[in-house]
């Protein structure tokens, strides 16, 4: 996989050059249709467009990939707009148009559970400003003071006379009003649309099949492409025999896309893929043919003992406290590579001419896709455009890494003026991911005679995701993302346990397998390492695991609150049913506090997870029903990783190529999940990712309670639970 480092300077230069002008790109196949529509329907402001029939179009810059961000952000805008929710719909603005308007829609990136928590304020402001402009338009129409008018449910009322007018009737006039400054936002306690469990706006189209994903997109005259890159990381194309497949049905051209890949372009995707499979290709496999899971594990083990490591958190003198302690507990854990395994494989459709490049793509970051399109086309950024489509799963794969966009553009350049849709096969998707990073972790702790944890050293050895993306990480060797959930305070992911001597450090070791942002990112393994080891310490000290956590969390009330909530709901203080055993875990990540309690049984070496109770405190919740579904869905991902998830390396390549060898949870394997939503206010946290991290440790701690066996190397399927 080729990683392109986004140049901040180039991005800003492109932004400045593209500023000015107005031609909003809508979520339609062709920009001309969008411009025609916009000419008929002037916008109230960048966030709100209102039809004469009072239909409200809310523009959402973040991406929808099943997590409900589109509906949640629309709720926030509609709340401040005081509109009729039954008439709300949404559309994506384009990143090119955003650049031309000085990035008026803000950040297009959708990842790290930031879709709502980092845009809630300015989208609410957009709705509130549009409301005031509509009210001002009505007051102007009636020639009355604006203070005498109010808005509710898409209707403006002149309070003294009782006269009313709908939003649709004054929207055109409102578009010419001066936007007010500093419009106050509602107190969340007064919300009527936001904060309510409203149905999602995209459900109907998904149920009826109307929803168009990237793999569904059809454009007039479109060609289709399938691609194959060298399966060995770092390898490239040596040669291929295009003549061997040029006569196959539908084949238009065989193209070497870059040093690493070859594609076939044909009338249909199956024709392209069939020809590609028949194409004789000789690979130059490069320097990594001796890389394996075993050699990578040895590299990481060396990092556990290395003298040099980057410090994340340091409190007190850990080494002295460990040396002086009468009882030191040590354990080593490991976490494997994992694939994103999105249901929709990577794809993009591109159309290129000498003066315009357009891309239709399911992307988690439209701006990054735009940069990739500009780089691949060789055109200035202002001559490129990206039209976002809903994603059939993202999980981090469709964010920073945009090689499929570059590939589609390069193929489109071979057929100027003709759209070319590139779809990766499932095998290509598995073999060329940006995998959850592989790490090992050694933990050492001192326990005094009273059962107090007096020292705690956590050494992480493994990959840095940001090393390939940020120059400062390569210069300093410090990747802040490695320490998710382990920080000494802060709003993103604070280590909740109070321990007088604490050291958390990282020995960076980067094998040639590319790492990427995988849903939950580094919080996943960090929570598992810490929470399983805390459980070990409790048993070594002869203390109930809940009581030890309560003691260590005494100064961290939000952490403790979610932990107590799951313990109470699961009935921790009461005996479990016959053969049922329990485990706990808690963590803070992505700005939220989460905890889980699991009930499992192990019979004849076979694990059954009966029940999961999960609590989350994200500060505020925009849609409780969707938040509950996100928590429940996160356990599918988290348990899949814990029980089955593993990409192994042999000969410098991934061995798993499809779902027959890369397992995920099936419906009959999923336990019942009970969600406790407990927003405490005063901060905004994420929902879609944090609870993934507590799935594994809660279950593994319950497995220990059931069997007396500690599972320290994931996935669990590689461990025997029998006698």
């Amino acid at each position: 996989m080729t990683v392109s480092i986004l140049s901040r300077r180039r991005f800003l230069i492109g932004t400045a050059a593209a500023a000015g002008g107005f031609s909003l790109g809508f979520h339609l196949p062709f920009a001309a249709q969008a411009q025609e529509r916009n000419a008929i329907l002037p916008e109230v402001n960048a966030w709100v467009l209102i039809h004469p029939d009072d239909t409200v179009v809310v523009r959402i810059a973040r991406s929808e990939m099943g997590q409900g961000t589109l509906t949640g952000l629309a709720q926030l805008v509609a709340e401040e707009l005081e509109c009729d929710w039954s008439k709300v719909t949404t559309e994506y603005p384009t990143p090119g148009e955003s650049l031309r308007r000085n990035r008026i829609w803000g950040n297009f990136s959708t990842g790290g559970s930031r879709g709502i928590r980092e845009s809630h304020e300015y989208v609410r402001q957009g709705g509130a400003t549009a409301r005031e402009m509509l009210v001002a338009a009505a007051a102007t129409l009636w020639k009355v003071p604006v203070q005498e008018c109010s808005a509710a449910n898409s209707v403006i009322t002149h309070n003294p006379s009782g006269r009313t007018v709908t939003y649709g009737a004054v929207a055109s006039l409102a578009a010419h009003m001066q936007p007010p400054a500093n419009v106050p936002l509602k107190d969340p306690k007064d919300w009527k649309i936001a904060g309510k469990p409203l149905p999602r706006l995209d459900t109907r189209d998904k149920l009826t099949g109307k929803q168009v994903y990237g793999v569904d997109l059809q454009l007039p005259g479109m060609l289709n492409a399938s691609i194959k890159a060298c399966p060995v990381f770092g390898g490239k194309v040596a040669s291929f025999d295009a003549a061997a497949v040029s006569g196959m049905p539908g084949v238009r051209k065989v193209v070497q896309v870059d040093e690493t890949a070859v594609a076939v372009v044909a009338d249909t995707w199956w024709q392209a893929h069939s020809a590609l499979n028949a194409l004789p290709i000789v690979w130059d496999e490069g320097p990594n043919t001796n890389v394996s899971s075993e050699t990578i594990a040895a590299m990481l083990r060396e990092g556990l003992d290395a003298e040099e490591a980057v410090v994340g958190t340091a409190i007190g003198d850990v080494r002295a406290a460990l040396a002086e302690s009468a009882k030191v507990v040590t354990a080593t854990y490991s976490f494997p590579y994992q694939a994103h395994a999105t249901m929709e494989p990577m794809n993009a459709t591109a159309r290129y001419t000498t003066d315009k490049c357009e891309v239709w793509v399911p992307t988690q970051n439209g701006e990054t896709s735009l940069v990739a399109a500009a780089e691949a086309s060789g055109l200035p950024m202002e001559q490129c455009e990206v039209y976002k489509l809903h994603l059939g799963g993202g999980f981090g794969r469709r964010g920073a890494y945009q090689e499929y966009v570059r590939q589609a553009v390069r193929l489109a350049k071979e057929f100027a003026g003709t759209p070319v849709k590139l779809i990766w096969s499932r095998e290509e998707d598995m073999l060329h991911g940006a995998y959850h990073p592989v790490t090992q972790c050694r933990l050492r702790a001192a326990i005094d005679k009273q059962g107090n944890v007096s020292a705690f050293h956590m050494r992480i050895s493994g990959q840095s995701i940001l090393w390939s993306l940020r120059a400062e990480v390569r210069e300093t060797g410090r990747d802040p993302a490695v320490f998710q959930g382990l920080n000494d305070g802060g709003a993103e992911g604070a280590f909740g346990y109070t321990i007088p001597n604490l050291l958390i450090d990282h020995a960076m070791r980067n094998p040639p397998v590319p790492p990427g942002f995988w849903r939950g990112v580094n919080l996943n393994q960090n929570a598992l390492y810490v929470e399983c080891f805390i459980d070990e310490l409790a048993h070594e000290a002869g203390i109930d695991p809940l009581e030890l956590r309560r003691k260590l969390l005494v100064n961290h009330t939000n952490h403790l609150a979610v932990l107590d909530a799951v313990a109470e709901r699961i009935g921790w203080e009461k005996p479990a049913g016959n053969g049922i055993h329990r485990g706990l875990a808690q963590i803070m990540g992505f700005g939220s506090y989460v905890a889980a309690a699991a009930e499992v049984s192990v019979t004849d070496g076979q694990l059954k997870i009966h029940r999961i109770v999960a609590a989350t405190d994200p500060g505020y919740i925009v849609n409780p029903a969707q938040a509950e579904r996100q928590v429940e869905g996160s356990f599918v991902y988290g348990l899949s990783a814990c029980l089955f998830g593993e990409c192994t390396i042999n000969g410098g390549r991934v061995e798993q190529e499809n779902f027959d060898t890369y397992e995920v949870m099936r419906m009959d394997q999923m336990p019942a999940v009970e969600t406790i939503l407990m927003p405490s206010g005063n901060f905004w946290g994420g929902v879609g990712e944090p609870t993934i991290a507590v799935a594994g440790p809660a279950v593994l701690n319950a497995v220990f309670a059931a069997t007396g066996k500690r599972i320290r190397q994931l996935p669990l399927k590689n461990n025997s639970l029998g006698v």
Side-chain angles (χ1 to χ4, degrees), residues 137-446:
T140 299
L141 182 68
W142 292 325
K143 295 181 174 57
V144 299
V146 70
Q147 295 81 2
E148 293 181 357
C149 301
S150 61
N153 206 38
S154 291
V155 175
I156 304 162
T157 301
H158 179 232
N159 298 316
S161 67
R163 282 180 293 179
T164 62
V165 66
T166 65
Y167 280 4
V170 296
S172 294
L173 180 58
H176 297 90
M177 305 303 295
Q178 181 67 30
N182 303 318
V183 180
L185 301 178
K186 290 185 180 181
D187 189 313
K189 68 180 176 57
D190 298 323
W191 282 350
K192 297 174 292 186
I193 296 174
K196 306 303 178 185
L198 302 179
R200 286 177 53 158
L201 296 174
D202 55 346
T203 300
R204 182 181 296 276
D205 285 354
K206 290 179 178 178
L207 291 176
T208 62
K210 183 180 177 181
Q211 181 64 59
V212 175
Y213 293 91
V215 293
D216 304 320
L217 183 70
Q218 296 294 323
L219 299 177
M222 185 177 74
L223 298 176
N224 296 269
S226 182
I227 196 165
K228 185 180 292 185
C230 182
V232 178
F233 297 110
K236 57 186 179 181
V237 178
S239 64
F240 58 92
D241 183 6
V245 300
S246 60
M248 291 183 68
V251 171
R252 298 296 188 94
K253 196 170 187 179
V254 180
V255 181
Q256 181 169 339
V257 179
D258 52 33
E259 286 189 341
T260 67
V262 180
V264 175
V265 181
D267 293 337
T268 70
W269 185 83
W270 187 249
Q271 289 172 337
H273 189 60
S274 299
L276 183 64
N277 284 338
L279 179 67
I281 306 175
V282 177
W283 302 111
D284 174 0
E285 295 186 341
N288 297 320
T289 54
N290 293 324
V291 175
S292 67
S293 293
E294 290 72 25
T295 63
I296 293 171
M299 177 191 294
L300 270 56
R301 283 195 297 271
E302 179 275 325
L304 294 178
D305 296 318
E307 287 293 324
E308 294 186 4
V310 172
V311 174
T313 297
I315 299 172
D317 190 338
V318 164
R319 290 182 172 85
L322 288 170
E324 296 168 2
S325 176
K327 186 170 188 177
V328 175
V329 181
T330 302
T332 301
Y333 285 77
S334 66
F335 203 94
Y337 287 115
Q338 307 218 7
H340 292 82
T342 61
M343 286 296 97
E344 179 189 28
M346 300 304 107
N347 68 88
T349 300
R351 184 175 62 178
Y352 169 86
T353 65
T354 55
D355 57 5
K356 182 74 172 179
C357 180
E358 298 170 286
V359 177
W360 294 258
V361 61
T363 176
Q364 289 182 241
N365 192 334
E367 291 180 320
T368 303
S369 297
L370 182 65
V371 171
E375 290 176 345
S377 68
L379 295 174
M381 202 175 307
E382 58 267 27
Q383 291 176 229
C384 300
E385 189 55 282
V386 168
Y387 308 106
K388 288 202 303 179
L389 302 164
H390 279 13
L391 289 63
F395 313 128
R397 178 62 180 91
R398 289 179 153 101
Y401 302 97
Q402 299 280 328
E403 71 275 38
Y404 46 93
V405 171
R406 289 189 293 273
Q407 290 170 349
V409 171
R410 287 165 184 160
L411 290 170
K413 290 179 74 173
E414 300 289 326
F415 300 87
T418 299
V420 178
K421 178 164 71 173
L422 170 68
I423 302 177
W424 286 20
S425 67
R426 175 61 59 192
E427 290 75 15
E428 191 71 10
D429 198 82
M430 288 279 192
L431 292 174
H432 294 285
Y435 305 90
H436 188 293
V438 62
T439 61
Q440 293 181 14
C441 182
R442 179 174 295 158
L443 303 109
R444 302 181 68 211

Side-chain angles (χ1 to χ4, degrees), residues 506-525:
H506 174 224
M508 188 185 295
R509 299 294 184 270
N510 289 317
V513 180
F517 300 100
W518 188 97
R519 187 179 180 190
V521 200
N522 294 303
L523 190 72
N524 295 321
Q525 68 266 24

Side-chain angles (χ1 to χ4, degrees), residues 60-63 65 67-70 72-73 76 107-123 364 622 684-689:
I60 305 296
R62 308 284 181 161
S63 300
M65 48 190 160
Q67 81 282 37
T69 293
L70 182 148
L73 289 173
L76 290 171
N107 196 341
F108 275 62
S109 176
T110 312
S113 293
R114 291 185 172 92
I116 287 178
R117 68 183 172 116
E118 288 193 354
S119 54
H120 65 90
E121 186 171 3
Y122 61 80
V123 302
Q364 289 182 241
V622 174
W684 288 78
V687 173
E689 294 179 87

Side-chain angles (χ1 to χ4, degrees), residues 584-599:
L584 291 167
Q586 69 80 35
I587 197 76
M588 181 200 180
F590 303 98
S592 294
Y593 302 86
V594 297
E599 289 187 338

